Amino acid sequence: MDTVEAVVTQIQGLSGGSGDVSLLHSLLKQADDLLHTESTRLAPFLDQLDPSIHSLGYLYLLEACTSTPILKEQANQLVVSIASFINNCAAEQIRLAPDKFVLLCKRLRDQVILLEAPMRGVAPMLTAVRKLQSSSELLTALHPEFLLLCLLAKCYKTGLRILEDDIFEVDQPRDFFLYCYYGGMICIGQKRFRKALELLHNVVTAPMSTVNAIAVEAYKKYVLVSLIHNGQFSATFPKYTSSVAQRNLKNFSQSYLDLANSYSSGKISEVEKSIQTNREKFEAGAYLKLVFLDKNLGLVKQVVSSMYKRNIQRLTQTYLTLSLQDIASTVQLNGPKEAEMHVLQMIQDGEIFATINQKDGMVSFQEDPEQYKTCEMIEHVDSSIQRIMALSKKVTAMDELLSYDPLYLAKAGRERQRFDFDDYDTVPQKFNI
Amino acid sequence: MEGEEETSAGAMIDEIYSNGGDAKRNRPIISGEALDIEAYASLYSGRTKITRLLFIADRCENRQMQMEAYRMAYDEIKKGENTQLYREVVQKIDGRLGPQYGLDVPWTEAVDRRAEQRKEKLENELNAYRTNLIKESIRMGYNDFGDFYYAHGLLADAFKNYVRTRDYCTTSKHIIHMCLNAILVSIEMGQFTHVTSYVSKAEQTPEAVDPVTVAKLRCAAGLAHLEAKKYKLAARKFLETGAELGNNYTEVIAPQDVATYGGLCALASFDRAELKNKVIDNLNFRNFLELVPEVRELIHDFYSSHYASCLDYLGNLKANLLLDIHLHDHVETLYDQIRHKALIQYTHPFVSVDLRMMANAFKTSVAGLEKELEALITDNQIQARIDSHNKILYARHADQRNATFQRVLQTGNEFDRDVRAMLLRANLLKHEYNHKASRKL
């Protein structure tokens, strides 16, 4: 086909059944260069097509159309058109050309950031992610883009919804790293430290052949979040961490490790000292992606306040009642008023169970009233059991799948020990390489 | 009958509150006397006497005691042949004891000359024996060399020579002799790992060993464990030492020391049952304890919960124990452990304890006591909580059911998280491997 009009007619004709669509797909691939050369002329043709029926064709045209540099005045229009396309397109069709779709969405993200209105991109990107995923367990290249927009727009709750899905399959490791890193940051923003720790842990321990900047930054945040959530940080890596990470990650985050050491001493003064000496390092952060400047100082301040909390929690283990003055002196606060504020905050957050008697200036600590006898608790336990059973089935399935994967067998066949001739050989002969 | 019960109950309550600290008791608490250096030194012989005297002189602050110790050390050294040590002592005395305690140069020269001659003679003899290949003579030769070096203070060489006799030992007696010598030198050198290995070597000999040697070996093993801060093992070894030890091992340890070390280590590390079994009911050890009545008293006081008097005895003994060459750097730790055990034992039988009364019993302030208890509770050695307002300690028993639920839920969460992470990693590895494989192809 040599003209754009012909392409458009083809699109309109062949967007019916799935056989037609695959034919259309191959035709479009051949016509791609043509479309790119004619990109300036394509805008009116878009109106002839319906995004919900002719999604694939529309995608190709739109992508070619936006491949030229965009002027600032056109940006707004562009955002609108891409957003409406995403909302209306048919998921099965665009899954045939995922790269193009991803490219298009990335352009959307660029424009939205240029317009300094990242909020406008959040909803369309969410729809895009859902449409591109063939299952909720698959990580697409759009996940990190979406999370980035959420971060810039500060709408963390939307980001959280995506993070609730468990990911089991990853295409590109780089997407995975960015996804976990941004996801960790969103969870920190929402104070969901357990999930943040999980995500950051995955980045730090992921298999990698060379150290990348994302892992380094993730490690720094990992140290801080570990201090906030667990009250301690263990500098030894688990066995499954890649050797590259084990050797190199600590070199870049010495100031953070110093902070962890001073935290373990249990004294506020030491932690403050450590922060003062390393202040610039904490503020510098990293310059990752576009205009996003990543500062850790806020997180460091949270580390300090978590230390007070932990010290007060330790007091609940040894005392039944304690005066506010004693709390203030043990935890190194400035006075009973400040101690009262801290304790009040912790009671409201549900971190300790206590009552404050203002007449005497006494706090009495109580046990956790949770008796584990309610219906909700039984439901919770039951659903956890179901969940774990499903997980176990998944692991078994994966194991089975792997045991007849030819690549794995080839490698295993080469490396297994050769026993006696009569021994039962678990790997068939043909894999004896 | 009821009247009797009441009075006996009243007496029992008084007994609990008294802590054995008031005038009703007729045993006066002996105040810690300054160490009688002569009596102390007479318990030992040989090189250890000198080292102990010098140690006391270095650590002690009382000028008179210090000079006394130096004087006795000087006299003792002059009886031997160790000129190096002699010179050191003279330097330390620094002329403060008068002219007859200055550097006797002719004596040192005479001793050195004699030493040279003896050394040559020994060497010639040894060479002769070696050419003749008579095992027994070679062994004696090396032994003599070892003795010679030991007398002259060259401990490392002495040790080497003693060890060399091993190849020429033919009977178990020889082996035991060698082991005892090696142990002696190692203790003097402060290398207690050797002590342990030679003790086990000696104990492994096939023939039966006479009881005195057995006792000696147990003492040596106990000392090694003490140095290694393994107080429980040390206590066990000292407690197993037979009374046959008597005064046969004065070149290393006196029976008073066995009692003191054994008693203190046992008190710091044994639980109540073991303490009763192995110390209080131990007839054999009783012979040793008779030599140090203060230690005996303090153990009995601890067992019968008279903590105030027990801690008093400990306080009084402390000054003298700090002058002991083997025990001095363990005194603080042992005392802390004993005090903690006393605190824990005090609170163990009660549901609630008035901190004021407890502070009285332990002769500290309530605030100080609170701090100590807080440390013990945080360490999980006492299961209790403090009511700081009313100053009462309440025992607290963990709710097993709730704890179990909590643990279960937590384990479930961890499993969930770890398995998901594992599946992810496996997936990443698979992709990486496929990527590499496809590149290769």
PDB file of all heavy atoms in Angstrom, chain A residues 168-182:
ATOM      1  N   PHE A 168       3.875 -11.704  39.625  1.00  0.00           N
ATOM      2  CA  PHE A 168       4.687 -12.912  39.558  1.00  0.00           C
ATOM      3  C   PHE A 168       5.481 -13.025  38.283  1.00  0.00           C
ATOM      4  O   PHE A 168       6.399 -13.812  38.189  1.00  0.00           O
ATOM      5  CB  PHE A 168       3.807 -14.157  39.690  1.00  0.00           C
ATOM      6  CG  PHE A 168       3.281 -14.332  41.076  1.00  0.00           C
ATOM      7  CD1 PHE A 168       1.938 -14.234  41.331  1.00  0.00           C
ATOM      8  CD2 PHE A 168       4.135 -14.560  42.124  1.00  0.00           C
ATOM      9  CE1 PHE A 168       1.448 -14.384  42.609  1.00  0.00           C
ATOM     10  CE2 PHE A 168       3.657 -14.702  43.403  1.00  0.00           C
ATOM     11  CZ  PHE A 168       2.310 -14.614  43.651  1.00  0.00           C
ATOM     12  N   GLU A 169       5.085 -12.274  37.279  1.00  0.00           N
ATOM     13  CA  GLU A 169       5.820 -12.403  36.013  1.00  0.00           C
ATOM     14  C   GLU A 169       6.349 -11.066  35.579  1.00  0.00           C
ATOM     15  O   GLU A 169       5.639 -10.060  35.630  1.00  0.00           O
ATOM     16  CB  GLU A 169       4.878 -12.926  34.942  1.00  0.00           C
ATOM     17  CG  GLU A 169       4.727 -14.418  34.985  1.00  0.00           C
ATOM     18  CD  GLU A 169       4.253 -14.918  33.644  1.00  0.00           C
ATOM     19  OE1 GLU A 169       4.913 -14.594  32.647  1.00  0.00           O
ATOM     20  OE2 GLU A 169       3.216 -15.575  33.624  1.00  0.00           O
ATOM     21  N   VAL A 170       7.577 -11.083  35.166  1.00  0.00           N
ATOM     22  CA  VAL A 170       8.231  -9.835  34.790  1.00  0.00           C
ATOM     23  C   VAL A 170       8.854 -10.003  33.424  1.00  0.00           C
ATOM     24  O   VAL A 170       9.495 -10.998  33.147  1.00  0.00           O
ATOM     25  CB  VAL A 170       9.337  -9.501  35.814  1.00  0.00           C
ATOM     26  CG1 VAL A 170      10.097  -8.282  35.399  1.00  0.00           C
ATOM     27  CG2 VAL A 170       8.728  -9.304  37.178  1.00  0.00           C
ATOM     28  N   ASP A 171       8.664  -8.993  32.558  1.00  0.00           N
ATOM     29  CA  ASP A 171       9.294  -9.048  31.239  1.00  0.00           C
ATOM     30  C   ASP A 171      10.691  -8.491  31.243  1.00  0.00           C
ATOM     31  O   ASP A 171      11.645  -9.091  30.818  1.00  0.00           O
ATOM     32  CB  ASP A 171       8.454  -8.239  30.245  1.00  0.00           C
ATOM     33  CG  ASP A 171       7.361  -9.094  29.679  1.00  0.00           C
ATOM     34  OD1 ASP A 171       7.561 -10.324  29.631  1.00  0.00           O
ATOM     35  OD2 ASP A 171       6.328  -8.548  29.295  1.00  0.00           O
ATOM     36  N   GLN A 172      10.764  -7.262  31.732  1.00  0.00           N
ATOM     37  CA  GLN A 172      12.030  -6.549  31.699  1.00  0.00           C
ATOM     38  C   GLN A 172      12.482  -6.266  33.114  1.00  0.00           C
ATOM     39  O   GLN A 172      11.774  -5.603  33.855  1.00  0.00           O
ATOM     40  CB  GLN A 172      11.817  -5.197  31.000  1.00  0.00           C
ATOM     41  CG  GLN A 172      11.872  -5.246  29.507  1.00  0.00           C
ATOM     42  CD  GLN A 172      13.312  -5.290  29.055  1.00  0.00           C
ATOM     43  OE1 GLN A 172      14.214  -5.477  29.873  1.00  0.00           O
ATOM     44  NE2 GLN A 172      13.512  -5.131  27.786  1.00  0.00           N
ATOM     45  N   PRO A 173      13.679  -6.702  33.472  1.00  0.00           N
ATOM     46  CA  PRO A 173      14.130  -6.424  34.838  1.00  0.00           C
ATOM     47  C   PRO A 173      14.102  -4.947  35.189  1.00  0.00           C
ATOM     48  O   PRO A 173      13.799  -4.571  36.314  1.00  0.00           O
ATOM     49  CB  PRO A 173      15.559  -6.964  34.855  1.00  0.00           C
ATOM     50  CG  PRO A 173      15.601  -7.973  33.791  1.00  0.00           C
ATOM     51  CD  PRO A 173      14.618  -7.554  32.741  1.00  0.00           C
ATOM     52  N   ARG A 174      14.393  -4.081  34.189  1.00  0.00           N
ATOM     53  CA  ARG A 174      14.466  -2.664  34.508  1.00  0.00           C
ATOM     54  C   ARG A 174      13.112  -2.142  34.960  1.00  0.00           C
ATOM     55  O   ARG A 174      13.017  -1.357  35.898  1.00  0.00           O
ATOM     56  CB  ARG A 174      14.927  -1.898  33.281  1.00  0.00           C
ATOM     57  CG  ARG A 174      15.222  -0.467  33.587  1.00  0.00           C
ATOM     58  CD  ARG A 174      16.100   0.158  32.534  1.00  0.00           C
ATOM     59  NE  ARG A 174      16.229   1.566  32.786  1.00  0.00           N
ATOM     60  CZ  ARG A 174      15.356   2.486  32.392  1.00  0.00           C
ATOM     61  NH1 ARG A 174      14.293   2.107  31.722  1.00  0.00           N
ATOM     62  NH2 ARG A 174      15.522   3.749  32.680  1.00  0.00           N
ATOM     63  N   ASP A 175      12.058  -2.621  34.282  1.00  0.00           N
ATOM     64  CA  ASP A 175      10.710  -2.220  34.718  1.00  0.00           C
ATOM     65  C   ASP A 175      10.484  -2.624  36.151  1.00  0.00           C
ATOM     66  O   ASP A 175       9.897  -1.899  36.945  1.00  0.00           O
ATOM     67  CB  ASP A 175       9.648  -2.898  33.855  1.00  0.00           C
ATOM     68  CG  ASP A 175       9.724  -2.414  32.440  1.00  0.00           C
ATOM     69  OD1 ASP A 175      10.161  -1.280  32.238  1.00  0.00           O
ATOM     70  OD2 ASP A 175       9.335  -3.196  31.559  1.00  0.00           O
ATOM     71  N   PHE A 176      10.946  -3.839  36.444  1.00  0.00           N
ATOM     72  CA  PHE A 176      10.731  -4.363  37.784  1.00  0.00           C
ATOM     73  C   PHE A 176      11.409  -3.495  38.824  1.00  0.00           C
ATOM     74  O   PHE A 176      10.832  -3.145  39.859  1.00  0.00           O
ATOM     75  CB  PHE A 176      11.263  -5.801  37.827  1.00  0.00           C
ATOM     76  CG  PHE A 176      11.249  -6.390  39.191  1.00  0.00           C
ATOM     77  CD1 PHE A 176      10.059  -6.668  39.821  1.00  0.00           C
ATOM     78  CD2 PHE A 176      12.423  -6.656  39.853  1.00  0.00           C
ATOM     79  CE1 PHE A 176      10.038  -7.217  41.078  1.00  0.00           C
ATOM     80  CE2 PHE A 176      12.409  -7.201  41.109  1.00  0.00           C
ATOM     81  CZ  PHE A 176      11.223  -7.481  41.727  1.00  0.00           C
ATOM     82  N   PHE A 177      12.659  -3.137  38.564  1.00  0.00           N
ATOM     83  CA  PHE A 177      13.379  -2.317  39.539  1.00  0.00           C
ATOM     84  C   PHE A 177      12.666  -1.006  39.782  1.00  0.00           C
ATOM     85  O   PHE A 177      12.446  -0.594  40.920  1.00  0.00           O
ATOM     86  CB  PHE A 177      14.800  -2.026  39.036  1.00  0.00           C
ATOM     87  CG  PHE A 177      15.718  -3.185  39.167  1.00  0.00           C
ATOM     88  CD1 PHE A 177      16.385  -3.689  38.071  1.00  0.00           C
ATOM     89  CD2 PHE A 177      15.938  -3.787  40.392  1.00  0.00           C
ATOM     90  CE1 PHE A 177      17.241  -4.763  38.192  1.00  0.00           C
ATOM     91  CE2 PHE A 177      16.788  -4.858  40.518  1.00  0.00           C
ATOM     92  CZ  PHE A 177      17.436  -5.347  39.405  1.00  0.00           C
ATOM     93  N   LEU A 178      12.298  -0.338  38.672  1.00  0.00           N
ATOM     94  CA  LEU A 178      11.643   0.955  38.824  1.00  0.00           C
ATOM     95  C   LEU A 178      10.304   0.793  39.536  1.00  0.00           C
ATOM     96  O   LEU A 178       9.944   1.607  40.389  1.00  0.00           O
ATOM     97  CB  LEU A 178      11.418   1.592  37.450  1.00  0.00           C
ATOM     98  CG  LEU A 178      12.634   2.324  36.889  1.00  0.00           C
ATOM     99  CD1 LEU A 178      12.350   2.794  35.501  1.00  0.00           C
ATOM    100  CD2 LEU A 178      13.009   3.488  37.776  1.00  0.00           C
ATOM    101  N   TYR A 179       9.586  -0.251  39.160  1.00  0.00           N
ATOM    102  CA  TYR A 179       8.276  -0.486  39.781  1.00  0.00           C
ATOM    103  C   TYR A 179       8.410  -0.615  41.288  1.00  0.00           C
ATOM    104  O   TYR A 179       7.702   0.043  42.060  1.00  0.00           O
ATOM    105  CB  TYR A 179       7.671  -1.745  39.171  1.00  0.00           C
ATOM    106  CG  TYR A 179       6.482  -2.300  39.912  1.00  0.00           C
ATOM    107  CD1 TYR A 179       5.226  -1.726  39.765  1.00  0.00           C
ATOM    108  CD2 TYR A 179       6.609  -3.397  40.746  1.00  0.00           C
ATOM    109  CE1 TYR A 179       4.142  -2.240  40.429  1.00  0.00           C
ATOM    110  CE2 TYR A 179       5.524  -3.903  41.411  1.00  0.00           C
ATOM    111  CZ  TYR A 179       4.290  -3.337  41.251  1.00  0.00           C
ATOM    112  OH  TYR A 179       3.218  -3.843  41.914  1.00  0.00           O
ATOM    113  N   CYS A 180       9.356  -1.458  41.715  1.00  0.00           N
ATOM    114  CA  CYS A 180       9.522  -1.659  43.153  1.00  0.00           C
ATOM    115  C   CYS A 180       9.992  -0.394  43.839  1.00  0.00           C
ATOM    116  O   CYS A 180       9.537  -0.056  44.936  1.00  0.00           O
ATOM    117  CB  CYS A 180      10.526  -2.782  43.416  1.00  0.00           C
ATOM    118  SG  CYS A 180       9.842  -4.404  43.130  1.00  0.00           S
ATOM    119  N   TYR A 181      10.875   0.332  43.185  1.00  0.00           N
ATOM    120  CA  TYR A 181      11.398   1.540  43.817  1.00  0.00           C
ATOM    121  C   TYR A 181      10.307   2.584  43.983  1.00  0.00           C
ATOM    122  O   TYR A 181      10.100   3.126  45.075  1.00  0.00           O
ATOM    123  CB  TYR A 181      12.550   2.076  42.979  1.00  0.00           C
ATOM    124  CG  TYR A 181      13.186   3.304  43.557  1.00  0.00           C
ATOM    125  CD1 TYR A 181      13.871   3.259  44.760  1.00  0.00           C
ATOM    126  CD2 TYR A 181      13.088   4.518  42.905  1.00  0.00           C
ATOM    127  CE1 TYR A 181      14.452   4.387  45.290  1.00  0.00           C
ATOM    128  CE2 TYR A 181      13.673   5.651  43.431  1.00  0.00           C
ATOM    129  CZ  TYR A 181      14.353   5.582  44.624  1.00  0.00           C
ATOM    130  OH  TYR A 181      14.914   6.698  45.155  1.00  0.00           O
ATOM    131  N   TYR A 182       9.596   2.874  42.891  1.00  0.00           N
ATOM    132  CA  TYR A 182       8.522   3.865  43.003  1.00  0.00           C
ATOM    133  C   TYR A 182       7.443   3.368  43.940  1.00  0.00           C
ATOM    134  O   TYR A 182       6.869   4.140  44.715  1.00  0.00           O
ATOM    135  CB  TYR A 182       7.912   4.147  41.638  1.00  0.00           C
ATOM    136  CG  TYR A 182       8.831   4.892  40.703  1.00  0.00           C
ATOM    137  CD1 TYR A 182       8.857   4.584  39.354  1.00  0.00           C
ATOM    138  CD2 TYR A 182       9.656   5.893  41.154  1.00  0.00           C
ATOM    139  CE1 TYR A 182       9.679   5.258  38.487  1.00  0.00           C
ATOM    140  CE2 TYR A 182      10.490   6.572  40.296  1.00  0.00           C
ATOM    141  CZ  TYR A 182      10.503   6.250  38.958  1.00  0.00           C
ATOM    142  OH  TYR A 182      11.324   6.901  38.100  1.00  0.00           O
TER     143      TYR A 182
END
